[in-house]
Amino acid sequence: MHLNRRNLMGLGAALAAPALVPGLARAQGNWPNQPIRLVVPFSAGGPTDIPARLIADELSKLLPQRVIVENRTGAGTVVGADAVAKAAKDGHTFLYTTIAQAAIRAIYPTLPFDPVKDFTPVALAGTIPMLMMVNKDVPVNSLQELIALLKKDPGKYDYASTGNGAALHLASELFLKQAGGLKVNHVPYRGSAAAMPDLLNGTVTMMLDVANSALPFVQRGEVKGLAISSAQRIPQLPDMPTFQEAGVPGYEAYTWHMVLAPAGTPEPVVTRMNALINQVMAMDTVKARLADLTMQTRSDTTPETTRKWLTDEIAKWEPIIKEAGIKAD
């Protein structure tokens, strides 16, 4: 090529552009050029970890590099989220998180990061509803009957949760508020596996749990299932009403699954990762596998709609946390 003045100017601009915006150049070029970390701030094998690993496996098939799940637990989601907030902003580290991200600021008064400003939302993978259960000997057969029982004797009954400040604790407090300010004692446990025996033997009266964990106990008749927390009924329990159908207008609660990146991650990386996650969530095999876990998958979100979901959830849960006086253990 003859390097006249115009060609030299164009060549100079082309060479200068990557130096001016190296993140953008990498994002448009050879990203990812190393394995991607998907940090899960919960233990391996749990209800958050299982979908994360399925998504990571499918993403690995679509990308030239592997997506590796890294479990970073401690102080709720703080340890894992902090690790991602402080990670390199080159598009090789992401956070796979849940509703806990929306509550973390209100529960922990001092944090080493900002749960909003230090992250860039990428995609919403899906939601899992919760199921209200009562001990089988409790003399109620509907949510309205349960509400009437709790109103009759304020403070007499107990509800279990999977831990102080956990998603099921927050959802239970939202129910008590929206059902008329019910007074029920909170008994926190270290997860569903620890709480369920006490629900079965009647030590506690009631419990909200994620549907995939609660479903077998309801289907076997070991507990009474009264209502599902999603806006629509679920295929596994077509006869079970939603909270709204059962007389608690506006009640809706989920454990949602979301992918975030460190703030400052190049926009082309965020856009591409969003498209890839949507592609994975639209796969029939993925939808079927996650449907078994009662996850209602999403394959239509954008970084912008994901950000709105997160900010809306923060606005929803922070007042509940403050009103109930929920603090970290």
Side-chain angles (χ1 to χ4, degrees):
M1 178 178 72
H2 178 62
L3 294 178
N4 57 28
R5 179 178 175 83
R6 179 177 297 175
N7 288 334
L8 283 170
M9 290 175 64
L11 179 61
L15 291 173
L20 291 172
V21 280
L24 182 62
R26 286 196 298 271
Q28 291 175 328
N30 60 349
W31 177 88
N33 55 19
Q34 65 188 61
I36 290 175
R37 289 194 306 154
L38 186 62
V39 176
V40 177
F42 298 93
S43 59
T48 304
D49 181 70
I50 292 172
R53 289 182 182 274
L54 175 61
I55 293 168
D57 288 345
E58 295 299 333
L59 286 173
S60 296
K61 299 173 186 177
L62 301 174
L63 289 164
Q65 297 281 347
R66 287 185 59 205
V67 178
I68 300 170
V69 171
E70 180 181 314
N71 299 96
R72 297 286 294 270
T73 62
T77 65
V78 173
V79 172
D82 185 46
V84 174
K86 296 174 180 175
K89 308 177 191 308
D90 58 4
H92 293 96
T93 302
F94 296 86
L95 177 69
Y96 189 92
T97 189
T98 68
I99 184 178
Q101 190 76 12
I104 197 170
R105 183 169 61 188
I107 292 175
Y108 296 91
T110 58
L111 285 171
F113 60 89
D114 187 298
V116 177
K117 295 179 181 178
D118 289 337
F119 297 92
T120 296
V122 178
L124 179 66
T127 60
I128 297 179
M130 305 173 194
L131 200 158
M132 177 61 80
M133 301 172 288
V134 297
N135 175 269
K136 64 181 181 180
D137 294 326
V138 176
V140 302
N141 292 295
S142 70
L143 192 65
Q144 277 300 312
E145 290 179 359
L146 174 64
I147 293 170
L149 180 71
L150 300 176
K151 284 182 176 179
K152 181 181 177 182
D153 291 301
K156 177 180 178 180
Y157 299 99
D158 303 316
Y159 78 86
S161 84
T162 53
N164 194 43
L168 304 177
H169 182 194
L170 305 184
S172 298
E173 288 295 331
L174 179 65
F175 162 67
L176 298 179
K177 177 182 178 180
Q178 293 189 204
L182 303 175
K183 304 299 181 184
V184 185
N185 304 310
H186 173 223
V187 183
Y189 291 82
R190 297 182 67 85
S192 295
M196 187 56 72
D198 278 359
L199 180 65
L200 294 173
N201 66 30
T203 300
V204 293
T205 306
M206 53 189 271
M207 178 182 173
L208 261 178
D209 199 0
V210 287
N212 57 328
S213 295
L215 198 60
F217 297 95
V218 173
Q219 291 174 327
R220 292 194 296 261
E222 295 175 348
V223 295
K224 296 178 185 178
L226 302 183
I228 195 78
S229 70
S230 49
Q232 294 83 33
R233 300 188 184 196
I234 61 173
Q236 294 90 339
L237 295 170
D239 296 327
M240 180 173 291
T242 67
F243 275 73
Q244 297 181 35
E245 291 174 328
V248 185
Y251 185 88
E252 195 172 349
Y254 304 90
T255 56
W256 41 259
H257 292 228
M258 180 181 290
V259 177
L260 306 175
T265 298
E267 183 179 349
V269 168
V270 173
T271 301
R272 187 177 176 196
M273 183 60 95
N274 168 268
L276 288 168
I277 292 171
N278 281 338
Q279 182 177 343
V280 168
M281 302 314 294
M283 294 177 179
D284 289 340
T285 52
V286 172
K287 290 193 293 185
R289 177 70 183 91
L290 293 178
D292 290 341
L293 301 176
T294 66
M295 180 184 279
Q296 299 163 347
T297 56
R298 296 288 298 270
S299 59
D300 59 349
T301 65
T302 65
E304 292 74 24
T305 60
T306 303
R307 179 178 296 279
K308 185 178 187 306
W309 180 283
L310 179 59
T311 55
D312 287 350
E313 286 287 288
I314 290 173
K316 175 179 180 176
W317 294 112
E318 284 193 344
I320 297 297
I321 293 165
K322 292 175 182 177
E323 187 175 327
I326 299 171
K327 298 294 182 182
D329 290 330

